[in-house]
Amino acid sequence: MRIAVLDDDQDHRDLVLQIIERAGHGGVAFSEGAALLRQLQRDVFDLLIVDWQMPGMSGVEVVRWVRANVQDRLPVLFVTQRDDERDVVEALGCGADDYMSKPVRVHELRARVTALLRRSYPSSEETQLVLGGYRLDLVRREAFYDGQMIELKPREFELARCLFMQPARLLSRDYLLQTVWGLASDVPSRTLDTHMSSLRAKLALRSERGVRLTAVYGLGYRLEDTKPMHDDQRTMPGTGAVTCG
């Protein structure tokens, strides 16, 4: 998962980044709220960790902007020195999902991050992803269309998993590279385009099949469901699958 950390205290910011990266997540640091908001308009994060007292724009103002302008339900964790009950109530009231006070306790922060991600992205624990006629078996790492298996290379399957877990969401190039190739990846950007082109061809991700893969120039990729889904298509009894759409 990719996590944005907003804090004007560099030592604390570095500590939080170290904790989440040791937990296997990618971290991106911001020292000003305005910089984070600009990045959110062209990039994707799975979680925000936000300090309250910031220069220029407070953490509360940042969260209010996120709730008003970011379509996805992006989880937010406040980590701040303010620990009065009224502060907690205000933070949760403005849209934060959780709240903890400084100084940071390593195991508590890791546990809260894990819990928030688990609640916000339950499909990551499912065994199958279904969208239209497509099905991804996350255990066997196999892809199917109308019951017919389509052979994908490991990186292609991981890209498909990212896309099918978050249909209609624009996934930035950095997000996809870090998620599929690793946190410290220096893979050329054209490698992503090559793999995406191959994935689009193998799965035939086009409108007539009800699912379309769209490239947004300079930003990333979006998987779009082009066929309306009826109520009786939203569950697959007995499969343990999550149906995306």
Side-chain angles (χ1 to χ4, degrees):
M1 294 292 187
R2 195 159 182 256
I3 300 173
V5 179
L6 174 63
D7 198 310
D8 62 329
D9 183 330
Q10 183 173 348
D11 290 339
H12 183 266
R13 197 167 62 236
D14 291 345
L15 173 61
V16 172
L17 285 172
Q18 184 181 65
I19 293 170
I20 63 176
E21 288 175 357
R22 285 184 175 178
H25 305 298
V28 181
F30 297 89
S31 60
E32 295 181 353
L36 171 58
L37 299 190
R38 285 194 298 271
Q39 193 68 21
L40 281 170
Q41 295 178 64
R42 58 178 182 270
D43 206 347
V44 177
F45 296 100
D46 299 300
L47 172 69
L48 304 184
I49 297 178
V50 179
D51 188 17
W52 187 309
Q53 295 169 289
M54 300 285 301
M57 176 180 286
S58 72
V60 167
E61 291 174 312
V62 168
V63 175
R64 285 178 177 149
W65 186 95
V66 168
R67 291 294 177 244
N69 295 279
V70 178
Q71 183 176 2
D72 299 306
R73 178 63 189 182
L74 181 61
V76 176
L77 168 64
F78 260 109
V79 179
T80 175
Q81 290 180 336
R82 300 178 64 152
D83 58 1
D84 186 85
E85 181 180 5
R86 290 172 295 182
D87 295 329
V88 176
V89 171
E90 182 177 355
L92 297 177
C94 80
D97 298 278
D98 200 358
Y99 189 104
M100 66 180 291
S101 58
K102 296 179 180 179
V104 164
R105 294 162 293 282
V106 174
H107 297 296
E108 180 185 357
L109 177 60
R110 186 179 300 164
R112 288 179 183 270
V113 165
T114 299
L116 273 176
L117 292 173
R118 185 185 299 120
R119 292 201 304 267
S120 302
Y121 307 102
S123 59
S124 63
E125 298 179 352
E126 300 292 341
T127 60
Q128 299 185 58
L129 296 174
V130 178
L131 182 62
Y134 293 92
R135 178 171 63 88
L136 298 184
D137 186 323
L138 303 182
V139 177
R140 296 163 103 37
R141 298 177 61 80
E142 295 174 343
F144 299 84
Y145 179 75
D146 280 355
Q148 298 295 312
M149 190 173 77
I150 303 168
E151 186 174 348
L152 297 179
K153 294 179 180 179
R155 301 286 191 194
E156 293 169 347
F157 185 87
E158 282 303 306
L159 286 170
R161 183 185 64 81
C162 288
L163 292 163
F164 277 79
M165 281 182 66
Q166 304 174 79
R169 185 180 185 187
L170 176 61
L171 302 181
S172 73
R173 302 177 68 85
D174 286 344
Y175 177 89
L176 292 167
L177 285 168
Q178 289 187 15
T179 302
V180 176
W181 276 269
L183 302 181
S185 175
D186 57 356
V187 174
S189 183
R190 64 180 178 276
T191 299
L192 172 62
D193 297 324
T194 299
H195 279 74
M196 280 296 193
S197 178
S198 177
L199 182 65
R200 180 190 280 115
K202 288 183 177 181
L203 294 183
L205 297 170
R206 51 182 183 264
S207 297
E208 53 266 35
R209 282 200 169 190
V211 179
R212 177 177 60 205
L213 178 61
T214 302
V216 181
Y217 181 75
L219 295 178
Y221 290 86
R222 177 189 290 119
L223 190 66
E224 300 173 337
D225 184 358
T226 60
K227 183 185 298 181
M229 183 175 291
H230 303 294
D231 290 341
D232 59 358
Q233 293 178 292
R234 293 186 179 275
T235 58
M236 295 185 62
T239 64
V242 56
T243 303
C244 305

